[in-house]
Amino acid sequence: MSVGTRLASAVGADRYLENPVERREALLGYLLILPAVLLIAAVILYPIAYNIYLSFTTVPLNPAVPPEWVGFENYQQLLGSPRFWGAFQTTLVFTVGSTILSTIVGLGVAMLFDRSFRGRRLARGLVLLPHVTPIIAVAFVWQFMLSPLWGTIPNLLADWGIYTSQVGLLERSSTALPVVVVFSAWRNFPFAFLLFVARLGAIPNSMYEAAKIDGAGAVAQFKDITLPELKGTIAIVVLLRFIWEFNTFAQVWLLTRQVLTLPIFAYQSAFANFEQGLGAAISLLLFIIQIMFVIGFVKLFGEEKV
Amino acid sequence: MIAQVTREVRSSFAVLREGVRAETSTLKRLGFYASVLLTMVVTLLPFYVMFVTSLTPNGEIYTNNPSFVPSSLTLEQYVAILTGGTFPFVTYFVNSAIVATATATFSMLVGVIGAYSFTRLEYPGNDMIRRGVIVVYMLSAITVIVPLFQLIAKFGLVDTRLSLLITYLVSTLPLTLYMLWNYFQSIPVEIEEAALLDGYSRVETIFRVVIPLSLPVLVAAFLFAFKIAWNEYIFASVFLKTQANLTLPIGIEQINSQFENVWGQVMAASFLTTLPIVVMFLYLEKYMVEGLTAGAVEG
């Protein structure tokens, strides 16, 4: 036995190598997947590994000078800084807030659209617009609408006597965070809506009819039929949105500079203050948190499919 | 799992069209239509403001009492951005179009053969690669922005469109692989086996049988990759330096920060940036809905 075949049988590949047809298939399989694997390795896996290394270094401004190993210094600096913990807290508030809000609004609109009415097809298409429009466009129109000087919303609120401040909602961190949460929910509720509307349509109408005959009101029907039927979808929506909101950058950054979440902290450290090692350390912490949720996701939903 | 949801979307839209759950009482109907109206207003108000502002003359945008309805309309904002008055909008637009088309085409080519490979061909490691794609698909750009910047700098690719094409694959390739994998699974193997019996090779089968059968999802995957590249901000903001190379998101952002009171032009630019994506989505709504549920990656 040659070294090659012994190696092959050790990894259980001999089955594929005995039969010439299967061997050709396996070879073709590798050949076809190779470009994708090489690219993913080059732009994702290698950078993730390199990021781990960078997080233990100080990266000099001059690219010709190699990074200097500093051990856990970046991490010590981070864990000891109130700015980091503040950003962590802001990220949590933003993520939880926008996840919950977009899920609830998405569910509400899905239930609203779960019946026939004139123009439903068009309405369903239009409701998706916030989610598909380029972020740059919607972020700026929100900025414009909320601008204290020229914006229509503050002026309208002022006419009603609710709003008097000369400072914009996006210019103070205390009000910017709630606005970013609302903006994010506005942008992402169509995602929740799509998944919910699909699931709602699959609930047999006979279940509601039976409940009506038993005298169940709208609230009871929602609690005893709709919610249990949607349980799985709700879990998927919440988890996916949580994973993505936690690492979202442009959505917050383009709307206001007053909200410091961890991705923004990483970006600023690396590219505004040129502390790339520190930026890498924040990115790595984000990656670890994210990967825990991804694994949770796969464990919860993916076993049979993944 | 998401494939399951996709199938549900498909089947349940058929149910939805029949429209089964109707209310009868007038009061309830009124409340229902009021809720639909409110939903549409909240959803569409920003788009209305964007469009109307882009058609409003400057003098009316900057007043002490802005209103939702302008008293006169003008195309001056569009003329200003398209003739390169304040900033080279057309250059940004062309750059974005080139980068997005190249990215989408490239991830499509690599995605089709890759997804076919792990859907249909058996070899050791197949499962692992598939799992890997799912995990990578949920990661975001922030985890690799620092090392990728270092690598792009090391290879001397800073301020090039090539740097964007390479790095955009972070988001587009896993999505393309994932969407195509879901779809290829739904194609009956028998069709391919028949083609193989007719004497086609595997590669011929991919191009003559699988690709023609998958056109809808190929369109969807292409448009999603295009949309991601069209929207991308973080890599472009870090890699690009000179005006001539900027893409739309960075270009418009710079205008917004460097000029005072060019809201009309910014809104016109935003509208033109939105237009290609929205036209695609409305025109190909069916595929897009499937695509959204099969892989809504943050753009």
Side-chain angles (χ1 to χ4, degrees):
Chain A
M1 254 212 290
S2 75
V3 181
T5 44
R6 233 180 308 163
L7 193 70
S9 76
V11 296
D14 47 354
R15 180 162 76 82
Y16 296 94
L17 299 178
E18 274 164 20
N19 181 325
V21 177
E22 286 183 353
R23 191 167 58 208
R24 280 232 319 271
E25 295 261 292
L27 267 178
L28 181 67
Y30 284 124
L31 193 70
L32 294 183
I33 196 71
L34 194 67
V37 168
L38 285 180
L39 283 168
I40 288 180
V43 296
I44 303 171
L45 300 184
Y46 176 66
I48 288 175
Y50 192 38
N51 192 55
I52 298 175
Y53 164 71
L54 286 175
S55 76
F56 291 106
T57 67
T58 295
V59 184
L61 275 179
N62 180 353
V65 182
E68 183 196 338
W69 184 268
V70 295
F72 282 94
E73 203 177 280
N74 289 324
Y75 292 97
Q76 278 168 352
Q77 189 187 334
L78 275 181
L79 301 181
S81 103
R83 212 169 125 78
F84 172 79
W85 291 109
F88 190 75
Q89 200 189 338
T90 307
T91 311
L92 271 183
V93 171
F94 165 73
T95 306
V96 172
S98 58
T99 299
I100 292 177
L101 200 57
S102 62
T103 307
I104 291 177
V105 174
L107 178 60
V109 176
M111 288 179 61
L112 195 65
F113 283 25
D114 182 39
R115 54 182 267 179
S116 66
F117 60 90
R118 206 182 283 263
R120 185 183 56 195
R121 253 185 81 83
L122 178 69
R124 212 176 49 212
L126 291 175
V127 150
L128 301 181
L129 280 183
H131 195 66
V132 300
T133 307
I135 182 76
I136 187 85
V138 286
F140 281 147
V141 75
W142 272 64
Q143 268 192 22
F144 175 64
M145 285 195 311
L146 295 174
S147 141
L149 234 47
W150 321 119
T152 30
I153 304 274
N155 277 283
L156 199 67
L157 294 180
D159 284 350
W160 295 342
I162 304 174
Y163 186 86
T164 48
S165 171
Q166 292 300 302
V167 186
L169 290 170
L170 289 168
E171 273 114 61
R172 261 183 322 204
S173 49
S174 60
T175 50
L177 182 58
V179 174
V180 169
V181 168
V182 171
F183 173 67
S184 174
W186 175 80
R187 181 160 168 79
N188 294 313
F189 87 85
F191 171 79
F193 162 79
L194 263 180
L195 295 193
F196 285 135
V197 90
R199 187 71 196 97
L200 280 174
I203 303 175
N205 210 38
S206 56
M207 288 178 79
Y208 290 100
E209 276 159 11
K212 262 183 230 160
I213 292 167
D214 290 345
V219 177
Q221 286 180 31
F222 176 74
K223 210 174 88 230
D224 297 332
I225 303 173
T226 313
L227 266 188
E229 289 284 322
L230 288 182
K231 229 166 54 190
T233 314
I234 293 173
I236 291 170
V237 170
V238 167
L239 207 52
L240 276 180
R241 284 260 54 96
F242 193 93
I243 289 172
W244 285 324
E245 302 290 356
F246 202 83
N247 284 272
T248 191
F249 172 80
Q251 206 176 286
V252 179
W253 178 251
L254 290 176
L255 191 64
T256 173
R257 298 290 148 91
Q258 299 302 318
V259 173
L260 184 76
T261 59
L262 285 176
I264 289 172
F265 193 21
Y267 180 86
Q268 284 187 322
S269 303
F271 301 106
N273 306 334
F274 294 103
E275 295 177 286
Q276 302 233 318
L278 196 67
I282 304 167
S283 288
L284 188 65
L285 291 177
L286 278 171
F287 173 70
I288 293 168
I289 297 168
Q290 195 180 17
I291 208 79
M292 287 190 320
F293 275 96
V294 171
I295 290 171
F297 182 89
V298 172
K299 280 253 180 299
L300 266 173
F301 304 106
E303 278 306 319
E304 85 282 6
K305 287 292 289 177
V306 177
Chain B
M1 179 285 313
I2 297 182
Q4 226 168 296
V5 178
T6 316
R7 269 193 298 281
E8 272 169 19
V9 172
R10 230 176 284 163
S11 65
S12 59
F13 274 152
V15 178
L16 268 178
R17 268 181 217 114
E18 287 157 25
V20 268
R21 284 157 212 160
E23 291 293 345
T24 37
S25 120
T26 318
L27 194 67
K28 276 185 179 168
R29 275 239 302 271
L30 218 63
F32 171 77
Y33 280 110
S35 313
V36 171
L37 190 70
L38 179 70
T39 305
M40 296 323 288
V41 167
V42 170
T43 306
L44 298 178
L45 182 68
F47 297 101
Y48 170 79
V49 170
M50 184 197 298
F51 186 57
V52 163
T53 308
S54 76
L55 291 173
T56 308
N58 275 334
E60 241 185 277
I61 297 177
Y62 309 114
T63 62
N64 287 326
N65 194 12
S67 106
F68 280 110
V69 190
S71 55
S72 59
L73 296 178
T74 169
L75 285 175
E76 70 181 47
Q77 313 290 3
Y78 288 92
V79 172
I81 62 168
L82 292 176
T83 54
T86 336
F87 55 89
F89 175 79
V90 176
T91 310
Y92 303 153
F93 198 92
V94 170
N95 285 340
S96 274
I98 292 173
V99 172
T101 310
T103 306
T105 310
F106 195 57
S107 45
M108 193 70 127
L109 291 174
V110 177
V112 167
I113 56 170
Y116 184 83
S117 166
F118 65 56
T119 316
R120 284 288 190 256
L121 299 167
E122 280 184 44
Y123 48 88
N126 180 320
D127 276 2
M128 212 186 71
I129 295 171
R130 227 165 27 202
R131 280 165 196 256
V133 167
I134 306 262
V135 172
V136 161
Y137 152 82
M138 290 187 220
L139 299 180
S140 69
I142 195 78
T143 44
V144 287
I145 182 76
V146 176
L148 276 177
F149 174 74
Q150 293 284 326
L151 294 171
I152 291 296
K154 201 176 283 176
F155 288 114
L157 290 175
V158 170
D159 203 22
T160 62
R161 282 178 286 223
L162 185 62
S163 69
L164 299 185
L165 171 62
I166 296 168
T167 50
Y168 286 2
L169 293 170
V170 172
S171 328
T172 58
L173 193 54
L175 174 71
T176 313
L177 283 167
Y178 189 60
M179 284 177 74
L180 294 178
W181 171 42
N182 273 337
Y183 192 83
F184 288 167
Q185 277 182 315
S186 69
I187 302 176
V189 189
E190 291 77 25
I191 300 177
E192 282 165 58
E193 282 168 354
L196 288 171
L197 282 179
D198 284 347
Y200 286 132
S201 72
R202 271 284 184 189
V203 178
E204 278 172 331
T205 314
I206 297 177
F207 286 96
R208 298 198 175 183
V209 179
V210 176
I211 290 182
L213 279 178
S214 316
L215 275 182
V217 77
L218 292 180
V219 171
F222 183 91
L223 293 186
F224 269 89
F226 187 93
K227 173 197 168 228
I228 289 172
W230 187 262
N231 278 349
E232 206 285 333
Y233 175 82
I234 188 166
F235 287 124
S237 81
V238 169
F239 296 156
L240 300 179
K241 307 282 176 220
T242 49
Q243 282 285 327
N245 288 333
L246 297 188
T247 53
L248 284 169
I250 314 305
I252 301 178
E253 205 240 339
Q254 286 210 345
I255 300 152
N256 191 47
S257 59
Q258 284 172 4
F259 299 96
E260 287 286 318
N261 297 339
V262 283
W263 278 114
Q265 292 180 37
V266 169
M267 287 302 112
S270 297
F271 181 74
L272 292 180
T273 305
T274 305
L275 205 56
I277 304 289
V278 168
V279 167
M280 283 176 189
F281 271 82
L282 293 182
Y283 188 59
L284 297 158
E285 185 227 322
K286 204 178 92 205
Y287 307 132
M288 293 295 97
V289 165
E290 285 174 16
L292 267 179
T293 47
V297 155
E298 301 304 289

